[in-house]
Amino acid sequence: MTLTWVTGAAGFIGCHLVRHLAASDERVAGIDLVAAPPAELGALVDGWAGGGLSTDGLSALAAQTGVPTTVYHLAGGSSVGASLGNPFGDFSGTIGGTAVLLEWLRSAAPATQLVIVSSAAVYGNLHAGQIADDAATAPFSPYGAHKYAMEIMCRGWAKSFGLPVLAVRLFSVYGRGLAKQLLWDLCGKLATNPDTVMLGGSGEELRDWTHVDDVVRALVMAAPLASPAMPVINAGTGCSASVRQIATEVAKAFGRDETTVGFSGESRPGDPFSLVAGPGLLRQSGFVWNVDLVDGIADYVRWFKSLERP
């Protein structure tokens, strides 16, 4: 039985990853800003380091659990919107925490596989079609810039010190537990507004929607590819769906007509028009995306409706 650490373990993807690893009989420890693991994870983790990434915290966790075989690094900035509201905070969380983790691994666990979770936001608005793993990058939001800076920093440390690192760029991840971004906002509006609800943008923006259950499987399957060369993998299905299509499916799941949702035509700064993955290392490794988009959205709406609200 191997030992895995997850940074950002109390977050949306982190919680799903911890549950997936524990169900696969992995020993798992979590690291997060929150002092203790969420109740749903308490029985699944063998250790926990609260308060974020620090040298003392990492060393104390290693004394408790042992040195990990793999670290999945999800801590740091989590959305374009949050980075626009607090760009320095996003920078500090992404870059500062990663530097602490790299230095600790260099000195205490240089053989540990490090999987850094990056974002398709690093590509900016350069690409109209499918994006290859080695496509050009030009981030134009603080969030994308900080994720790309994290990648560059990790590549430098990997090559200089022989650390095995893998960068996985995520696209539009969704699923139960995601309490922010498009699906959450739209569900909230549909639940409280009997009339037309309005979203930003044109509705024609294209995204590659990936269910979190598939995403955590992809992270685990790709981890053995970590090396001092730091390969980069796009974790996307290769299938595009417009925001209008997604909104239509959400409305249908709510029992509402598709004309319920309208679009203002005003796009938010930092939002690219198209982010869709092309075939690459993940597909070559044999990974298959299992969750159908329509089914996944319907399941998300069921989860949203099940929540208790005032």
Side-chain angles (χ1 to χ4, degrees), residues 206-219:
L206 298 175
R207 293 292 184 269
D208 191 330
W209 291 83
T210 57
H211 195 276
V212 66
D213 289 350
D214 283 337
V215 168
V216 297
R217 288 194 306 108
L219 291 174

Side-chain angles (χ1 to χ4, degrees), residues 38-309:
E40 62 184 291
L41 301 184
L44 302 180
V45 294
D46 284 354
W48 190 267
L53 286 159
S54 69
T55 301
D56 289 345
L58 293 170
S59 296
L61 186 59
Q64 180 183 353
T65 68
V67 172
T69 302
T70 305
V71 175
Y72 294 95
H73 181 41
L74 291 96
S78 61
S79 71
V80 171
S83 78
L84 291 170
N86 184 9
F88 182 74
D90 190 87
F91 171 86
S92 300
T94 298
I95 304 302
T98 301
V100 169
L101 179 59
L102 286 169
E103 175 61 10
W104 186 85
L105 290 171
R106 181 188 71 82
S107 60
T112 295
Q113 295 176 152
L114 174 62
V115 179
I116 60 168
V117 178
S118 186
S119 169
V122 303
Y123 295 116
N125 213 19
L126 286 179
H127 307 283
Q130 290 185 328
I131 303 172
D133 291 344
D134 60 353
T137 55
F140 73 143
S141 68
Y143 171 73
H146 301 156
K147 290 297 187 185
Y148 190 59
M150 176 186 72
E151 290 185 15
I152 296 299
M153 181 169 60
C154 288
R155 186 181 299 280
W157 287 59
K159 289 189 173 182
S160 296
F161 306 117
L163 304 179
V165 183
L166 171 72
V168 181
R169 293 171 178 166
L170 303 186
F171 285 69
S172 294
V173 185
Y174 74 101
R176 289 176 174 243
L178 180 62
K180 60 182 178 181
Q181 301 173 358
L182 175 64
L183 294 187
W184 176 260
D185 293 342
L186 179 53
C187 284
K189 291 178 178 180
L190 288 169
T192 57
N193 193 329
D195 302 315
T196 300
V197 300
M198 191 65 63
L199 298 177
S202 67
E204 306 311 313
E205 296 85 358
L206 298 175
R207 293 292 184 269
D208 191 330
W209 291 83
T210 57
H211 195 276
V212 66
D213 289 350
D214 283 337
V215 168
V216 297
R217 288 194 306 108
L219 291 174
V220 173
M221 185 171 182
L225 296 174
S227 78
M230 203 191 85
V232 173
I233 288 180
N234 281 336
T237 67
C239 300
S240 63
S242 70
V243 174
R244 188 181 301 276
Q245 289 174 292
I246 298 301
T248 296
E249 294 302 330
V250 173
K252 286 180 180 178
F254 260 90
R256 305 279 291 275
D257 187 86
E258 63 183 76
T259 59
T260 299
V261 183
F263 295 89
S264 69
E266 298 179 3
S267 297
R268 181 178 61 181
D271 276 342
F273 180 80
S274 177
L275 287 175
V276 181
L281 285 174
L282 189 60
R283 182 180 296 181
Q284 292 171 21
S285 69
F287 183 79
V288 176
W289 297 89
N290 289 337
V291 180
D292 175 78
L293 179 57
V294 173
D295 293 341
I297 289 175
D299 182 68
Y300 182 87
V301 173
R302 284 192 295 271
W303 168 76
F304 182 90
K305 288 182 174 181
S306 74
L307 299 176
E308 293 185 6
R309 291 189 233 16

